[in-house]
Amino acid sequence: MMSQQQQLLKQELTVSQILRIHGKRFRQVRKRYSDGHDGRCAVGVIMSYYGWKGKDDSHAGEKLLGASIALRHAGVSKDLIIRLNDSGKTFEEIADYLDNIIPRKIP
């Protein structure tokens, strides 16, 4: 059985791919990572990709750290993602923006 990190390395998804693919599972929200149900902001989608269930629990900080590290490795600021999300951009629009500035894959 592969660890989650090994699976991620094998998949090598970009941040924009995570938003496009995994963002479809959620309704987009603003000003918070999750509504506790099926709503996520862009950073919340990335956290969920790393296994977060959308609840404020003991694992939320761990998943936020994982998402932050992935964004940093991709050369993307978490604050930039938050600003784009909260300004009204859709997951697809954020992904398009990221594709234009950072075409690299998450290591």
Side-chain angles (χ1 to χ4, degrees), residues 65 67-78 104:
L65 178 61
S68 295
I69 290 169
L71 289 169
R72 190 175 328 120
H73 284 324
V76 179
S77 158
K78 177 179 66 120
R104 294 177 286 170

Side-chain angles (χ1 to χ4, degrees), residues 16-27:
S16 60
Q17 288 171 322
I18 292 170
L19 290 172
R20 283 192 178 96
I21 295 166
H22 297 283
K24 291 177 183 172
R25 298 174 35 210
F26 304 103
R27 183 177 44 79

